[in-house]
Amino acid sequence: AQSVSQHNHHVILSEAASLELGCNYSYGGTVNLFWYVQYPGQHLQLLLKYFSGDPLVKGIKGFEAEFIKSKFSFNLRKPSVQWSDTAEYFCAVNNNAGNMLTFGGGTRLMVKP
Amino acid sequence: DGGITQSPKYLFRKEGQNVTLSCEQNLNHDAMYWYRQDPGQGLRLIYYSQIVNDFQKGDIAEGYSVSREKKESFPLTVTSAQKNPTAFYLCASSIAGTKNIQYFGAGTRLSVL
């Protein structure tokens, strides 16, 4: 069975700091990769996705993620965070054989103004 | 206004009681999902349905039941057999296929009295 690991459970940053959230998955075949974000009091929503092609994908609000196949990783990055980025971030994977997603445990990001 | 509606927002269950969480979507999606969200554990799949009158167990189906009599509706019943029901429950829907993006409702928070 596939699994997804997010190693940082809680991250606290000051505004303008750079962000990198780790995501590793365990599945050797073709995968589709997602980052979802849950802002306080809001629906879980898609931040960005990778299906194929350029391994560096850009999402909403200045976020990007890089797929490194050899490392089974899909880390999320943002050069300069804002207070409004305070949220919980979830990495998710499906294995291209079904449409079920496996989610990581989530990372709570707090950005101090 | 298209989307996924979950109700109620908050629900309380007494010992030995079955409770039903509602999920309705008007996105014309074929697939629907129920997840349970616990702190630090991400989202875990309870049940999913890819077509009307058909559904499959997810990773943590014990103590839960579902039905899919209509395309737009996928209610979840938390039975008395579920010994630890306190959690945040999220419903999602998507088009069929592996490169789907799941869209989420606002969630129902279930607590035990």
Side-chain angles (χ1 to χ4, degrees), chain A residues 4 9-10 22-23 48 57 61 69 80:
Chain A
V4 180
H9 299 295
H10 292 91
C23 173
L48 48 77
V57 292
K61 304 187 180 186
K69 189 174 181 179
S80 176

Side-chain angles (χ1 to χ4, degrees), chain A residues 36 38 43 90 94 96 99 104-105, chain B residues 37 42 48 97-98 100 102 104:
Chain A
Y36 281 84
Q38 191 173 37
H43 298 206
F90 296 93
N94 81 17
N96 218 36
N99 54 4
Chain B
Q37 185 178 5
Y48 64 99
T98 58
N100 68 83
Q102 293 187 17
F104 287 82

Side-chain angles (χ1 to χ4, degrees), chain A residues 32 34 36 38 43-44 46 49 51 88 90 94 96-101 103-106, chain B residues 31 33 35 37 40-43 45 48 50 88 96-102 104-106:
Chain A
N32 299 311
F34 307 79
Y36 281 84
Q38 191 173 37
H43 298 206
L44 199 68
L46 182 71
K49 64 188 184 297
F51 293 155
E88 189 159 17
F90 296 93
N94 81 17
N96 218 36
N99 54 4
M100 278 64 67
L101 288 177
F103 283 84
Chain B
Y33 314 81
Y35 294 91
Q37 185 178 5
Q41 298 192 54
L43 279 68
L45 184 64
Y48 64 99
Q50 300 191 56
F88 192 51
T98 58
K99 290 180 170 54
N100 68 83
I101 296 168
Q102 293 187 17
F104 287 82

Side-chain angles (χ1 to χ4, degrees), chain A residues 25 29-35 46-58 65-69 73-74 92-94 96 101, chain B residues 98-101:
Chain A
Y25 63 92
T30 302
V31 291
N32 299 311
L33 299 153
F34 307 79
W35 275 97
L46 182 71
L47 199 54
L48 48 77
K49 64 188 184 297
Y50 172 79
F51 293 155
S52 63
D54 187 344
L56 184 63
V57 292
K58 296 191 184 299
E66 184 175 14
F67 170 50
I68 302 179
K69 189 174 181 179
S73 71
F74 189 55
V93 175
N94 81 17
N96 218 36
L101 288 177
Chain B
T98 58
K99 290 180 170 54
N100 68 83
I101 296 168

Side-chain angles (χ1 to χ4, degrees), chain A residues 5-112:
Chain A
S5 297
Q6 293 182 241
H7 308 294
N8 314 102
H9 299 295
H10 292 91
V11 173
I12 302 174
L13 295 172
S14 298
E15 276 196 315
S18 64
L19 170 72
E20 181 160 3
L21 301 182
C23 173
N24 289 90
Y25 63 92
S26 65
Y27 183 73
T30 302
V31 291
N32 299 311
L33 299 153
F34 307 79
W35 275 97
Y36 281 84
V37 60
Q38 191 173 37
Y39 297 103
Q42 294 189 26
H43 298 206
L44 199 68
Q45 59 186 284
L46 182 71
L47 199 54
L48 48 77
K49 64 188 184 297
Y50 172 79
F51 293 155
S52 63
D54 187 344
L56 184 63
V57 292
K58 296 191 184 299
I60 60 172
K61 304 187 180 186
F63 285 91
E64 65 179 31
E66 184 175 14
F67 170 50
I68 302 179
K69 189 174 181 179
S70 61
K71 295 185 178 180
F72 299 91
S73 71
F74 189 55
N75 292 355
L76 181 71
R77 300 195 294 246
K78 186 171 183 178
S80 176
V81 294
Q82 301 172 310
W83 176 78
S84 58
D85 294 324
T86 294
E88 189 159 17
Y89 294 81
F90 296 93
C91 181
V93 175
N94 81 17
N95 64 14
N96 218 36
N99 54 4
M100 278 64 67
L101 288 177
T102 300
F103 283 84
T107 297
R108 285 188 182 272
L109 171 67
M110 178 184 294
V111 180
K112 298 183 293 183

